[in-house]
Amino acid sequence: PQWLTIRSSAAVDCAVVRPMRLGITPQVQGREIRIYLEGPMKGSLEINGTTENTLLIWAEEPRYEGFRKEWEEKQETGEYKRPLIYFGAGVHDAGILTIREDHTVLYLEEGAYVHGKVNIDHCSGVTVCGYGALSMESYPLEMRKTYQRCIDAVYCQDLIIRDITIMDSNDWSLRICGCDRVTVDNVKISGCSGNCDRV
């Protein structure tokens, strides 16, 4: 449990956390809003009775500490237990990242903001995970022929996509085609293109 403090650039008359069933009442003082989070939650904060500039709140439980350690060990020794693609906190330009090796892990660390798209092609046991974000905001709609889906998985088995955020896809955010035994869990999607809400 902890307090979340938001400082607004606009004066705050009132604030609401939705969905209302969460029972969270924000404390407002001047331009500062404080919200008490008892644990992981997903919701939105609306100020001054409007949905413009709504703040999405995705408070997640801690996990994935082991991936950083595994990556650091790989960097030191040059050895690895499995193929691991790691994006640490910060902004990255991945372009088009294609995974064809079985049992690959693509890990987006919390705070990672990765520009690009991921193709997962004819492989097994691939995991895409972490609290980072995969975004196409750098690729305008005119580039849709090349950058059309943030994640495109084709003819794979035992695929896991968990906890990541997908943003501003030019087409379907996450397409899974001809795959068997797929788990998609706690994936957040945000965007404004015509078809970007599709999975």
Side-chain angles (χ1 to χ4, degrees):
Q2 60 184 294
W3 285 95
L4 173 64
T5 301
I6 300 106
R7 291 177 181 86
S8 172
S9 59
V12 180
D13 297 321
C14 62
V16 175
V17 173
R18 297 188 188 279
M20 301 292 282
R21 64 177 165 73
L22 294 173
I24 298 175
T25 304
Q27 297 179 0
V28 177
Q29 186 171 6
R31 293 176 185 243
E32 188 172 280
I33 304 163
R34 297 187 75 218
I35 300 169
Y36 185 69
L37 304 178
E38 294 183 356
M41 62 80 75
K42 291 178 188 63
S44 63
L45 173 69
E46 299 173 7
I47 66 168
N48 300 334
T50 178
T51 56
E52 291 188 22
N53 298 317
T54 297
L55 176 68
L56 298 176
I57 302 169
W58 297 325
E60 308 278 12
E61 62 181 288
R63 64 170 79 170
Y64 298 117
E65 289 81 3
F67 284 109
R68 175 183 278 277
K69 184 178 179 185
E70 185 178 332
W71 177 257
E72 288 170 352
E73 287 174 359
K74 177 182 174 183
Q75 298 304 103
E76 287 177 13
T77 65
E79 300 175 0
Y80 56 90
K81 305 170 191 172
R82 57 191 167 185
L84 175 62
I85 302 167
Y86 176 94
F87 288 99
V91 179
H92 308 271
D93 186 0
I96 299 174
L97 178 61
T98 300
I99 298 172
R100 291 194 177 95
E101 189 172 356
D102 292 349
H103 307 293
T104 297
V105 174
L106 170 58
Y107 172 55
L108 309 181
E109 184 179 52
E110 182 177 359
Y113 196 86
V114 181
H115 296 279
K117 69 170 287 187
V118 177
N119 293 324
I120 309 169
D121 187 13
H122 289 78
C123 48
S124 299
V126 170
T127 299
V128 179
C129 63
Y131 291 134
L134 180 64
S135 171
M136 274 192 183
E137 74 170 306
S138 290
Y139 309 102
L141 197 56
E142 294 75 26
M143 298 177 74
R144 181 175 175 178
K145 189 171 182 180
T146 304
Y147 289 93
Q148 69 277 54
R149 291 175 281 276
C150 271
I151 297 181
D152 205 4
V154 180
Y155 298 109
C156 298
Q157 294 81 41
D158 303 307
L159 174 65
I160 298 172
I161 302 172
R162 176 171 284 141
D163 295 327
I164 65 167
T165 299
I166 298 174
M167 301 183 70
D168 295 314
S169 187
N170 283 327
D171 204 320
W172 289 37
S173 289
L174 170 57
R175 185 179 77 156
I176 298 169
C177 182
C179 298
D180 294 314
R181 299 179 302 278
V182 176
T183 299
V184 177
D185 178 39
N186 194 36
V187 172
K188 287 79 63 183
I189 295 174
S190 176
C192 59
S193 296
N195 291 325
C196 73
D197 59 341
R198 293 193 180 195
V199 175

